[in-house]
Amino acid sequence: MRRYDEPVQVQIARVDGCPESEVPPRRFIWQGRVYDVDAVHDRWVMRRPWWRRALANDGGVWALQPNHLEEYVWRVTAVARGSTGSGVYDLARGQDWRLLRVGD
């Protein structure tokens, strides 16, 4: 899998009574293309390294808030609109959505 760490816009599937952190992505926009999620393969929680944020130029103030240290990662299969092939994508949701990895 190739590593990225780029911001993406994500639309989630609304599920009544479910916290947003547990609701899977339905589609996302990356590099100007829309990708529709076909399947969710896995989901896990990843802790961000607070010590890196604490040393950041902005002071890393949010690093001291525990709810900002966790990212929810979704491994999905998705297809870009107008394309026939699918890929595997790792999407992370912390303060914002990011694309972490891509596999063909």
Side-chain angles (χ1 to χ4, degrees):
M1 291 188 95
R2 292 182 300 267
R3 292 181 164 263
Y4 285 92
D5 194 14
E6 294 182 8
V8 290
Q9 294 176 356
V10 175
Q11 181 182 28
I12 59 174
R14 297 282 178 212
V15 178
D16 291 336
C18 210
E20 275 195 26
S21 61
E22 296 180 16
V23 179
R26 289 184 54 204
R27 67 181 50 92
F28 61 95
I29 300 173
W30 177 50
Q31 296 182 344
R33 296 186 76 182
V34 177
Y35 293 79
D36 292 310
V37 174
D38 285 338
V40 174
H41 299 287
D42 202 358
R43 183 180 80 88
W44 63 91
V45 178
M46 184 170 66
R47 294 277 294 175
R48 297 184 75 177
W50 63 266
W51 57 92
R52 289 187 188 158
R53 289 296 308 149
L55 298 174
N57 290 336
D58 64 3
V61 176
W62 65 263
L64 303 176
Q65 300 172 357
N67 59 330
H68 290 161
L69 293 176
E70 291 183 345
E71 288 188 315
Y72 297 86
V73 182
W74 298 85
R75 178 160 289 166
V76 301
T77 298
V79 178
R81 289 191 180 167
S83 175
T84 56
S86 64
V88 177
Y89 302 85
D90 286 353
L91 300 168
R93 180 183 192 166
Q95 288 184 297
D96 296 308
W97 283 93
R98 298 179 304 122
L99 176 73
L100 300 179
R101 289 176 285 278
V102 176
D104 296 327

XYZ file of all heavy atoms in Angstrom:
865
model
N 0.841 -1.180 0.000
C 0.000 0.000 0.000
C 0.886 1.243 0.000
O 1.894 1.288 0.696
C -0.912 0.026 1.220
C -1.988 -1.047 1.201
S -3.194 -0.856 2.529
C -4.453 0.041 1.668
N 0.468 2.229 -0.769
C 1.173 3.508 -0.797
C 0.643 4.409 0.312
O -0.547 4.448 0.568
C 0.972 4.186 -2.158
C 1.657 3.442 -3.292
C 1.473 4.188 -4.600
N 0.069 4.347 -4.970
C -0.610 3.529 -5.748
N -0.032 2.460 -6.253
N -1.871 3.761 -6.043
N 1.551 5.149 0.946
C 1.174 6.065 2.026
C 0.927 7.461 1.474
O 1.628 7.894 0.570
C 2.287 6.147 3.068
C 2.454 4.868 3.823
C 3.576 5.024 4.860
N 3.493 3.960 5.803
C 2.897 4.056 6.979
N 2.364 5.181 7.357
N 2.850 3.028 7.785
N -0.053 8.149 2.057
C -0.371 9.503 1.618
C -0.430 10.474 2.788
O 0.487 11.173 3.045
C -1.670 9.536 0.812
C -1.464 8.993 -0.575
C -1.671 7.655 -0.860
C -1.028 9.817 -1.595
C -1.453 7.149 -2.123
C -0.812 9.321 -2.868
C -1.023 7.985 -3.123
O -0.812 7.495 -4.378
N -1.459 10.546 3.533
C -1.713 11.534 4.586
C -2.156 12.853 3.959
O -1.566 13.907 4.173
C -0.499 11.747 5.485
C -0.876 12.491 6.768
O -2.082 12.587 7.067
O 0.022 12.985 7.462
N -3.221 12.774 3.155
C -3.780 13.938 2.478
C -5.222 14.156 2.933
O -5.950 13.205 3.184
C -3.751 13.734 0.965
C -2.359 13.663 0.399
C -2.351 13.517 -1.112
O -3.425 13.618 -1.746
O -1.264 13.286 -1.657
N -5.638 15.419 3.017
C -7.027 15.691 3.406
C -8.008 15.230 2.337
O -7.703 15.304 1.134
C -7.073 17.211 3.566
C -5.922 17.724 2.791
C -4.893 16.639 2.758
N -9.161 14.721 2.762
C -10.233 14.316 1.849
C -11.562 14.793 2.421
O -11.696 14.991 3.625
C -10.290 12.780 1.633
C -9.112 12.282 0.830
C -10.373 12.041 2.949
N -12.518 14.990 1.523
C -13.883 15.281 1.946
C -14.635 13.966 1.949
O -14.550 13.211 0.978
C -14.543 16.251 0.984
C -13.918 17.621 0.972
C -14.559 18.519 -0.063
O -15.422 18.103 -0.826
N -14.133 19.766 -0.094
N -15.365 13.695 3.016
C -16.047 12.406 3.157
C -17.520 12.630 3.482
O -17.865 13.490 4.283
C -15.394 11.557 4.272
C -16.170 10.274 4.512
C -13.951 11.250 3.926
N -18.360 11.831 2.822
C -19.780 11.794 3.163
C -20.025 10.470 3.861
O -19.649 9.412 3.360
C -20.640 11.895 1.912
C -22.120 11.893 2.217
C -22.962 11.936 0.955
O -22.558 11.473 -0.095
N -24.136 12.498 1.086
N -20.640 10.544 5.047
C -20.894 9.319 5.804
C -22.345 8.892 5.638
O -23.198 9.686 5.273
C -20.560 9.493 7.302
C -21.393 10.619 7.926
C -19.074 9.745 7.500
C -21.205 10.746 9.421
N -22.584 7.624 5.903
C -23.946 7.077 5.885
C -24.562 7.374 7.239
O -24.018 7.002 8.276
C -23.897 5.577 5.630
N -25.672 8.042 7.258
C -26.334 8.368 8.524
C -27.013 7.122 9.092
O -27.730 6.428 8.392
C -27.390 9.457 8.313
C -26.811 10.760 7.846
C -26.189 11.500 9.009
N -25.581 12.742 8.544
C -24.526 13.271 9.079
N -23.931 12.696 10.084
N -24.032 14.393 8.622
N -26.761 6.869 10.357
C -27.375 5.741 11.057
C -27.956 6.274 12.355
O -27.226 6.810 13.195
C -26.338 4.625 11.346
C -26.985 3.495 12.104
C -25.705 4.136 10.062
N -29.263 6.145 12.537
C -29.923 6.658 13.740
C -29.392 5.973 14.992
O -29.230 4.760 15.031
C -31.441 6.449 13.651
C -32.080 7.334 12.591
O -31.483 8.378 12.265
O -33.167 6.984 12.102
N -29.102 6.783 16.002
C -28.670 6.260 17.288
C -27.224 5.829 17.343
O -26.775 5.281 18.343
N -26.472 6.056 16.289
C -25.078 5.625 16.241
C -24.168 6.861 16.319
O -24.398 7.835 15.621
C -24.838 4.896 14.924
S -23.601 3.637 15.009
N -23.131 6.841 17.170
C -22.207 7.977 17.203
C -21.517 8.138 15.851
O -21.247 7.140 15.170
C -21.189 7.601 18.277
C -21.699 6.389 18.941
C -22.777 5.797 18.102
N -21.227 9.372 15.478
C -20.610 9.626 14.171
C -19.301 8.876 13.987
O -18.955 8.495 12.876
C -20.386 11.123 13.954
C -21.591 11.821 13.405
C -21.263 13.191 12.847
O -20.109 13.438 12.439
O -22.179 14.012 12.824
N -18.557 8.659 15.061
C -17.271 7.964 14.954
C -17.427 6.511 14.512
O -16.472 5.891 14.070
C -16.520 8.022 16.278
O -17.277 7.392 17.285
N -18.636 5.963 14.647
C -18.868 4.568 14.270
C -19.603 4.418 12.949
O -19.898 3.302 12.533
C -19.645 3.866 15.383
C -18.878 3.792 16.681
C -19.654 3.105 17.785
O -20.646 2.419 17.486
O -19.255 3.267 18.950
N -19.901 5.531 12.283
C -20.652 5.491 11.031
C -19.670 5.435 9.862
O -18.779 6.280 9.760
C -21.572 6.724 10.900
C -22.323 6.699 9.591
C -22.543 6.771 12.066
N -19.800 4.448 8.978
C -18.837 4.282 7.886
C -18.976 5.336 6.787
O -20.049 5.902 6.591
C -19.168 2.895 7.333
C -20.600 2.697 7.669
C -20.831 3.411 8.965
N -17.881 5.586 6.067
C -17.940 6.514 4.937
C -18.710 5.903 3.757
O -18.643 4.695 3.530
C -16.476 6.741 4.569
C -15.733 5.599 5.157
C -16.539 5.082 6.298
N -19.461 6.737 3.029
C -20.196 6.294 1.828
C -19.446 6.669 0.558
O -19.450 5.931 -0.416
C -21.574 6.931 1.783
C -22.509 6.395 2.824
C -23.885 6.978 2.698
N -24.402 6.800 1.343
C -25.338 7.568 0.802
N -25.834 8.583 1.475
N -25.775 7.340 -0.404
N -18.874 7.873 0.572
C -18.096 8.336 -0.585
C -17.102 9.371 -0.101
O -17.252 9.930 0.973
C -18.982 8.865 -1.692
C -19.740 10.112 -1.413
C -20.624 10.553 -2.585
N -21.461 9.492 -3.096
C -22.712 9.239 -2.687
N -23.266 10.012 -1.780
N -23.392 8.248 -3.190
N -16.075 9.594 -0.925
C -15.090 10.613 -0.579
C -14.544 11.256 -1.848
O -14.652 10.691 -2.948
C -13.966 10.036 0.294
C -13.155 8.928 -0.331
C -11.961 9.192 -0.973
C -13.586 7.612 -0.251
C -11.211 8.171 -1.539
C -12.843 6.579 -0.798
C -11.654 6.863 -1.454
N -14.009 12.447 -1.677
C -13.402 13.178 -2.786
C -11.916 13.300 -2.492
O -11.516 13.799 -1.435
C -14.021 14.581 -2.951
C -15.514 14.467 -3.229
C -13.316 15.341 -4.072
C -16.235 15.804 -3.234
N -11.118 12.822 -3.441
C -9.666 12.880 -3.313
C -9.080 13.309 -4.644
O -9.406 12.729 -5.681
C -9.130 11.515 -2.880
C -7.641 11.442 -2.786
C -6.808 12.307 -2.139
C -6.801 10.445 -3.355
N -5.507 11.904 -2.259
C -5.481 10.759 -3.014
C -7.039 9.319 -4.119
C -4.389 9.986 -3.405
C -5.966 8.543 -4.507
C -4.654 8.872 -4.149
N -8.261 14.324 -4.614
C -7.610 14.868 -5.805
C -8.624 15.186 -6.903
O -8.403 14.916 -8.078
C -6.523 13.917 -6.316
C -5.395 13.738 -5.322
C -4.286 12.843 -5.828
O -4.445 12.097 -6.793
N -3.141 12.904 -5.172
N -9.772 15.720 -6.508
C -10.786 16.157 -7.464
C -11.674 15.061 -8.021
O -12.539 15.336 -8.851
N -11.505 13.828 -7.587
C -12.325 12.711 -8.065
C -13.229 12.203 -6.951
O -12.828 12.161 -5.791
C -11.458 11.560 -8.570
C -10.627 11.942 -9.787
C -9.906 10.768 -10.341
N -10.850 9.925 -11.076
C -10.517 8.797 -11.650
N -9.297 8.327 -11.565
N -11.416 8.090 -12.308
N -14.420 11.778 -7.333
C -15.375 11.233 -6.369
C -15.246 9.710 -6.368
O -15.258 9.072 -7.425
C -16.827 11.635 -6.728
C -17.812 10.990 -5.758
C -16.970 13.154 -6.732
N -15.128 9.136 -5.180
C -15.010 7.689 -5.008
C -16.223 7.194 -4.225
O -16.531 7.726 -3.160
C -13.737 7.334 -4.229
C -12.463 7.635 -4.976
C -11.971 8.930 -5.051
C -11.761 6.630 -5.614
C -10.800 9.214 -5.728
C -10.590 6.894 -6.302
C -10.117 8.196 -6.353
O -8.961 8.471 -7.037
N -16.884 6.176 -4.743
C -18.018 5.556 -4.052
C -17.522 4.305 -3.332
O -16.866 3.451 -3.932
C -19.117 5.189 -5.044
C -19.773 6.420 -5.635
O -20.164 7.310 -4.860
O -19.880 6.505 -6.878
N -17.854 4.206 -2.048
C -17.415 3.063 -1.229
C -18.304 1.864 -1.528
O -19.525 1.941 -1.415
C -17.456 3.425 0.271
C -17.159 2.208 1.130
C -16.482 4.558 0.568
N -17.670 0.765 -1.913
C -18.389 -0.489 -2.186
C -18.521 -1.353 -0.941
O -19.534 -1.994 -0.724
C -17.661 -1.308 -3.258
C -17.846 -0.748 -4.646
O -18.818 -0.014 -4.888
O -16.996 -1.050 -5.506
N -17.450 -1.403 -0.149
C -17.446 -2.290 1.024
C -16.519 -1.745 2.091
O -15.527 -1.088 1.796
C -16.987 -3.692 0.621
N -16.868 -2.033 3.344
C -16.011 -1.715 4.482
C -15.402 -3.026 4.944
O -16.111 -3.981 5.233
C -16.819 -1.064 5.628
C -15.935 -0.877 6.856
C -17.414 0.261 5.188
N -14.065 -3.076 5.007
C -13.377 -4.313 5.380
C -12.999 -4.359 6.855
O -12.985 -5.431 7.460
C -12.118 -4.496 4.541
C -12.405 -4.591 3.091
N -12.975 -5.690 2.514
C -12.244 -3.685 2.090
C -13.134 -5.476 1.214
N -12.706 -4.272 0.942
N -12.676 -3.183 7.407
C -12.218 -3.173 8.793
C -12.322 -1.758 9.337
O -12.433 -0.795 8.587
C -10.764 -3.649 8.861
C -10.374 -4.177 10.228
O -11.212 -4.139 11.152
O -9.221 -4.621 10.375
N -12.287 -1.662 10.655
C -12.266 -0.366 11.340
C -11.469 -0.535 12.614
O -11.609 -1.533 13.310
C -13.680 0.108 11.680
C -13.698 1.482 12.335
C -15.106 1.920 12.665
N -15.622 1.331 13.872
C -15.472 1.845 15.093
N -14.799 2.952 15.258
N -15.989 1.251 16.139
N -10.610 0.435 12.910
C -9.836 0.386 14.135
C -9.561 1.803 14.618
O -9.777 2.768 13.902
C -8.532 -0.400 13.954
C -7.558 0.184 12.977
C -6.553 1.066 13.241
C -7.493 -0.074 11.571
N -5.871 1.365 12.095
C -6.432 0.675 11.051
C -8.228 -0.878 10.698
C -6.080 0.653 9.704
C -7.886 -0.892 9.355
C -6.820 -0.144 8.868
N -9.091 1.889 15.850
C -8.764 3.173 16.454
C -7.247 3.275 16.545
O -6.568 2.338 16.951
C -9.383 3.312 17.866
C -8.982 4.632 18.506
C -10.896 3.195 17.787
N -6.739 4.431 16.149
C -5.302 4.676 16.170
C -5.029 5.883 17.076
O -5.719 6.895 16.981
C -4.849 4.962 14.729
C -3.393 5.152 14.554
S -2.924 5.203 12.795
C -3.720 6.704 12.259
N -4.070 5.746 17.966
C -3.691 6.872 18.838
C -2.614 7.694 18.145
O -1.635 7.148 17.653
C -3.135 6.369 20.164
C -4.118 5.655 21.037
C -4.963 6.542 21.851
N -4.211 7.289 22.863
C -4.776 8.195 23.621
N -6.045 8.476 23.491
N -4.080 8.830 24.521
N -2.810 9.005 18.121
C -1.816 9.902 17.534
C -0.725 10.179 18.556
O -0.986 10.228 19.757
C -2.481 11.197 17.111
C -3.525 10.936 16.034
C -4.115 12.192 15.547
N -3.120 12.833 14.694
C -3.340 13.944 14.041
N -4.490 14.568 14.151
N -2.414 14.477 13.288
N 0.512 10.371 18.107
C 1.617 10.629 19.036
C 1.539 12.049 19.608
O 1.906 13.010 18.952
C 2.862 10.435 18.173
C 2.403 10.659 16.771
C 0.957 10.267 16.724
N 1.066 12.185 20.830
C 0.862 13.504 21.429
C 2.154 14.289 21.535
O 2.164 15.504 21.452
C 0.212 13.366 22.802
C 1.051 12.628 23.792
C 1.005 11.301 24.071
C 2.090 13.170 24.606
N 1.935 10.971 25.010
C 2.624 12.115 25.354
C 2.628 14.450 24.770
C 3.669 12.280 26.243
C 3.671 14.629 25.664
C 4.173 13.547 26.393
N 3.296 13.595 21.719
C 4.562 14.284 21.919
C 4.994 15.045 20.663
O 5.608 16.089 20.760
C 5.640 13.314 22.369
C 5.850 12.171 21.432
C 6.738 12.097 20.405
C 5.138 10.930 21.439
N 6.630 10.890 19.759
C 5.657 10.153 20.374
C 4.128 10.395 22.223
C 5.182 8.879 20.078
C 3.669 9.131 21.923
C 4.190 8.383 20.868
N 4.619 14.543 19.471
C 4.939 15.280 18.239
C 4.118 16.557 18.145
O 4.614 17.585 17.739
C 4.694 14.407 17.028
C 5.704 13.302 16.900
C 5.530 12.564 15.612
N 6.387 11.405 15.599
C 6.193 10.356 14.843
N 5.163 10.321 14.018
N 7.015 9.335 14.888
N 2.850 16.480 18.508
C 1.990 17.661 18.454
C 2.399 18.676 19.518
O 2.338 19.869 19.295
C 0.520 17.274 18.650
C -0.072 16.551 17.492
C -0.119 17.396 16.227
N -0.752 18.672 16.480
C -0.433 19.794 15.833
N 0.478 19.806 14.912
N -1.052 20.915 16.128
N 2.812 18.208 20.669
C 3.198 19.123 21.738
C 4.417 19.950 21.344
O 4.607 21.061 21.824
C 3.467 18.344 23.020
N 5.230 19.428 20.447
C 6.433 20.141 19.999
C 6.206 20.922 18.707
O 7.126 21.549 18.201
C 7.575 19.142 19.795
C 8.009 18.381 21.055
C 9.050 17.327 20.696
C 8.552 19.336 22.098
N 4.995 20.913 18.165
C 4.697 21.596 16.914
C 4.760 23.110 17.088
O 4.658 23.633 18.204
C 3.314 21.185 16.408
N 4.918 23.810 15.954
C 5.023 25.277 15.974
C 3.803 25.948 16.601
O 3.923 27.008 17.205
C 5.225 25.818 14.562
C 6.600 25.462 14.031
O 7.519 25.220 14.799
N 6.739 25.433 12.719
N 2.624 25.357 16.421
C 1.409 25.971 16.968
C 1.223 25.658 18.456
O 0.213 26.001 19.053
C 0.176 25.552 16.174
C -0.112 24.057 16.271
O 0.604 23.343 16.994
O -1.067 23.616 15.615
N 2.194 25.004 19.045
C 2.121 24.688 20.471
C 1.415 23.384 20.766
O 1.469 22.883 21.862
N 0.740 22.818 19.768
C 0.081 21.535 19.948
C -0.910 21.508 21.089
O -1.037 20.510 21.784
N -1.606 22.614 21.292
C -2.521 22.719 22.421
C -3.513 21.579 22.457
O -3.782 20.993 23.503
C -3.253 24.087 22.388
C -4.286 24.156 23.501
C -2.241 25.202 22.524
N -4.069 21.221 21.292
C -5.087 20.167 21.285
C -4.516 18.806 21.670
O -5.245 17.906 22.019
C -5.806 20.089 19.943
C -4.933 19.679 18.804
C -4.319 20.488 17.910
C -4.577 18.351 18.425
N -3.598 19.765 17.005
C -3.743 18.444 17.299
C -4.873 17.094 18.932
C -3.198 17.327 16.669
C -4.337 15.977 18.298
C -3.515 16.116 17.180
N -3.201 18.655 21.637
C -2.591 17.368 22.002
C -2.854 17.008 23.457
O -2.753 15.858 23.843
C -1.088 17.400 21.733
N -3.208 17.992 24.245
C -3.482 17.739 25.658
C -4.919 17.310 25.900
O -5.294 16.983 27.010
C -3.154 18.992 26.477
C -1.717 19.487 26.325
C -1.530 20.789 27.088
C -0.728 18.440 26.781
N -5.740 17.326 24.854
C -7.140 16.918 24.971
C -7.279 15.481 24.463
O -7.103 15.225 23.275
C -8.022 17.868 24.176
C -7.909 19.306 24.651
C -8.630 20.272 23.739
O -9.175 19.876 22.717
N -8.615 21.531 24.098
N -7.577 14.526 25.329
C -7.595 13.109 24.956
C -8.499 12.776 23.777
O -8.155 11.921 22.969
C -8.088 12.412 26.229
C -7.804 13.350 27.321
C -7.890 14.730 26.735
N -9.630 13.451 23.641
C -10.531 13.106 22.537
C -9.967 13.505 21.182
O -10.463 13.075 20.151
C -11.917 13.735 22.749
C -11.851 15.252 22.851
O -10.847 15.803 23.302
N -12.908 15.907 22.454
N -8.919 14.316 21.145
C -8.292 14.695 19.877
C -7.112 13.808 19.517
O -6.500 13.981 18.477
C -7.829 16.150 19.925
C -8.968 17.120 19.922
N -8.828 18.399 20.335
C -10.269 16.997 19.566
C -9.981 19.028 20.234
N -10.872 18.180 19.784
N -6.780 12.881 20.386
C -5.645 12.003 20.132
C -6.030 10.738 19.374
O -5.170 10.059 18.845
C -4.961 11.617 21.440
C -4.259 12.757 22.165
C -3.707 12.263 23.487
C -3.164 13.344 21.308
N -7.308 10.423 19.330
C -7.742 9.201 18.671
C -8.235 9.484 17.264
O -8.902 10.480 17.017
C -8.855 8.528 19.474
C -8.380 7.968 20.778
C -9.469 7.234 21.525
O -10.651 7.382 21.179
O -9.120 6.500 22.460
N -7.876 8.592 16.342
C -8.388 8.635 14.979
C -9.052 7.297 14.690
O -8.529 6.245 15.058
C -7.261 8.860 13.964
C -6.700 10.237 13.975
C -5.732 10.447 12.841
O -4.889 9.574 12.611
O -5.820 11.492 12.201
N -10.191 7.364 14.044
C -10.901 6.157 13.643
C -10.546 5.889 12.192
O -10.757 6.746 11.336
C -12.408 6.338 13.822
C -12.774 6.561 15.257
C -12.754 7.827 15.815
C -13.091 5.486 16.079
C -13.057 8.031 17.151
C -13.396 5.678 17.410
C -13.379 6.961 17.943
O -13.674 7.156 19.263
N -9.989 4.723 11.923
C -9.527 4.380 10.578
C -10.473 3.354 9.976
O -10.828 2.362 10.621
C -8.083 3.839 10.597
C -7.605 3.529 9.189
C -7.150 4.831 11.274
N -10.875 3.610 8.738
C -11.755 2.705 7.994
C -10.993 2.200 6.778
O -10.476 2.988 6.005
C -12.994 3.459 7.514
C -13.832 4.004 8.613
C -13.665 5.195 9.254
C -14.950 3.387 9.206
N -14.624 5.346 10.215
C -15.430 4.250 10.204
C -15.601 2.168 8.984
C -16.533 3.942 10.980
C -16.699 1.878 9.769
C -17.149 2.749 10.741
N -10.922 0.888 6.619
C -10.362 0.294 5.385
C -11.540 -0.066 4.502
O -12.393 -0.872 4.881
C -9.528 -0.937 5.696
C -8.989 -1.580 4.416
C -7.824 -2.475 4.664
N -6.673 -1.642 5.011
C -5.555 -2.117 5.554
N -5.447 -3.404 5.810
N -4.561 -1.314 5.840
N -11.584 0.556 3.318
C -12.714 0.382 2.416
C -12.245 0.036 1.010
O -11.107 0.321 0.643
C -13.583 1.671 2.345
C -14.107 2.051 3.718
C -12.816 2.838 1.734
N -13.141 -0.576 0.253
C -12.959 -0.728 -1.188
C -13.832 0.328 -1.834
O -14.997 0.479 -1.469
C -13.401 -2.125 -1.669
O -12.587 -3.104 -1.032
C -13.242 -2.262 -3.175
N -13.249 1.068 -2.779
C -13.993 2.141 -3.432
C -13.625 2.206 -4.911
O -12.558 1.754 -5.322
C -13.707 3.478 -2.765
N -14.551 2.781 -5.680
C -14.367 2.941 -7.126
C -14.532 4.412 -7.472
O -15.502 5.045 -7.050
C -15.402 2.107 -7.915
C -15.247 2.303 -9.409
C -15.300 0.643 -7.553
N -13.597 4.940 -8.234
C -13.718 6.317 -8.708
C -14.799 6.354 -9.781
O -14.873 5.461 -10.632
C -12.398 6.812 -9.267
N -15.631 7.384 -9.733
C -16.688 7.513 -10.735
C -16.066 7.632 -12.120
O -15.090 8.347 -12.316
C -17.554 8.721 -10.444
C -18.402 8.485 -9.218
C -19.455 9.533 -9.055
N -20.225 9.241 -7.845
C -21.043 10.091 -7.298
N -21.236 11.285 -7.823
N -21.705 9.759 -6.201
N -16.625 6.877 -13.062
C -16.099 6.857 -14.422
C -14.989 5.848 -14.622
O -14.426 5.733 -15.700
N -14.656 5.108 -13.575
C -13.601 4.103 -13.639
C -14.213 2.721 -13.462
O -15.282 2.575 -12.874
C -12.576 4.359 -12.532
O -11.602 3.341 -12.506
N -13.531 1.697 -13.942
C -14.036 0.335 -13.786
C -13.314 -0.432 -12.686
O -13.832 -1.402 -12.170
C -13.900 -0.452 -15.102
O -12.528 -0.421 -15.509
C -14.777 0.164 -16.185
N -12.115 0.011 -12.330
C -11.340 -0.698 -11.313
C -11.551 -0.120 -9.931
O -11.832 1.060 -9.760
N -11.414 -0.975 -8.927
C -11.556 -0.526 -7.546
C -10.200 -0.583 -6.854
O -9.265 -1.209 -7.328
C -12.572 -1.390 -6.797
O -12.112 -2.716 -6.718
N -10.119 0.063 -5.699
C -8.914 0.050 -4.891
C -9.276 -0.036 -3.432
O -10.436 0.103 -3.047
N -8.269 -0.264 -2.608
C -8.450 -0.331 -1.163
C -7.864 0.945 -0.576
O -6.741 1.329 -0.893
C -7.761 -1.578 -0.572
C -7.885 -1.598 0.942
C -8.350 -2.839 -1.174
N -8.646 1.601 0.287
C -8.267 2.897 0.845
C -8.420 2.874 2.361
O -9.387 2.330 2.869
C -9.168 4.004 0.272
C -9.120 4.089 -1.227
C -9.939 3.282 -2.008
C -8.245 4.960 -1.857
C -9.886 3.345 -3.385
C -8.190 5.036 -3.235
C -9.012 4.223 -3.994
O -8.950 4.285 -5.363
N -7.461 3.481 3.057
C -7.559 3.677 4.496
C -7.886 5.141 4.737
O -7.084 6.029 4.408
C -6.251 3.324 5.206
C -6.007 1.829 5.273
O -6.909 1.059 4.887
O -4.918 1.434 5.727
N -9.079 5.390 5.284
C -9.545 6.739 5.583
C -9.553 6.928 7.094
O -10.099 6.095 7.821
C -10.958 6.943 5.033
C -11.125 6.765 3.532
C -12.605 6.714 3.171
C -10.430 7.886 2.792
N -8.958 8.013 7.569
C -8.869 8.272 9.005
C -9.692 9.490 9.361
O -9.638 10.509 8.692
C -7.421 8.496 9.420
N -10.436 9.371 10.459
C -11.223 10.481 10.948
C -10.756 10.853 12.344
O -10.923 10.112 13.297
C -12.700 10.105 11.000
C -13.535 11.242 11.495
C -14.951 10.857 11.603
N -15.739 12.065 11.808
C -17.037 12.110 11.675
N -17.703 11.026 11.347
N -17.678 13.222 11.877
N -10.130 12.022 12.437
C -9.749 12.596 13.721
C -10.485 13.906 13.819
O -11.711 13.945 13.831
N -9.724 15.006 13.840
C -10.370 16.318 13.773
C -10.948 16.532 12.371
O -11.958 17.185 12.214
C -9.378 17.413 14.115
C -9.021 17.433 15.588
C -8.118 18.585 15.908
O -7.001 18.658 15.411
N -8.604 19.481 16.738
N -10.277 16.005 11.372
C -10.715 16.064 9.974
C -10.476 14.692 9.355
O -9.798 13.849 9.924
C -9.910 17.115 9.194
C -10.136 18.522 9.709
O -11.303 18.926 9.824
O -9.136 19.205 10.012
N -11.019 14.488 8.166
C -10.790 13.242 7.436
C -9.489 13.345 6.644
O -9.192 14.384 6.057
C -11.927 12.973 6.472
C -13.165 12.442 7.112
C -14.230 13.169 7.547
C -13.483 11.067 7.366
N -15.194 12.331 8.069
C -14.752 11.029 7.963
C -12.813 9.875 7.144
C -15.384 9.844 8.338
C -13.427 8.690 7.526
C -14.680 8.684 8.115
N -8.738 12.224 6.618
C -7.512 12.141 5.837
C -7.427 10.793 5.157
O -7.911 9.788 5.684
C -6.280 12.288 6.752
C -6.194 13.597 7.458
C -4.989 13.714 8.386
N -4.939 12.658 9.384
C -3.937 11.811 9.543
N -2.880 11.869 8.774
N -3.989 10.889 10.466
N -6.797 10.771 3.992
C -6.495 9.516 3.304
C -5.098 9.111 3.744
O -4.138 9.876 3.570
C -6.552 9.691 1.794
C -6.147 8.461 0.994
C -7.237 7.404 1.084
C -5.880 8.817 -0.438
N -4.974 7.916 4.331
C -3.682 7.452 4.828
C -2.931 6.567 3.846
O -1.751 6.738 3.637
C -3.861 6.674 6.138
C -4.476 7.418 7.311
C -4.592 6.496 8.510
C -3.682 8.657 7.635
N -3.652 5.586 3.268
C -3.001 4.609 2.389
C -3.928 4.217 1.249
O -5.154 4.245 1.384
C -2.633 3.354 3.183
C -1.488 3.559 4.154
C -1.202 2.332 4.982
N -2.190 2.111 6.036
C -2.184 2.715 7.219
N -1.257 3.593 7.490
N -3.103 2.457 8.101
N -3.299 3.807 0.131
C -4.031 3.341 -1.042
C -3.376 2.064 -1.542
O -2.151 2.006 -1.688
C -4.026 4.389 -2.181
C -4.715 3.853 -3.421
C -4.695 5.679 -1.731
N -4.193 1.061 -1.819
C -3.710 -0.181 -2.437
C -4.553 -0.495 -3.654
O -5.747 -0.231 -3.678
N -3.933 -0.996 -4.682
C -4.659 -1.337 -5.929
C -5.204 -2.746 -5.882
O -4.743 -3.608 -5.246
C -3.746 -1.190 -7.128
C -3.312 0.262 -7.309
O -4.105 1.156 -6.995
O -2.178 0.478 -7.759
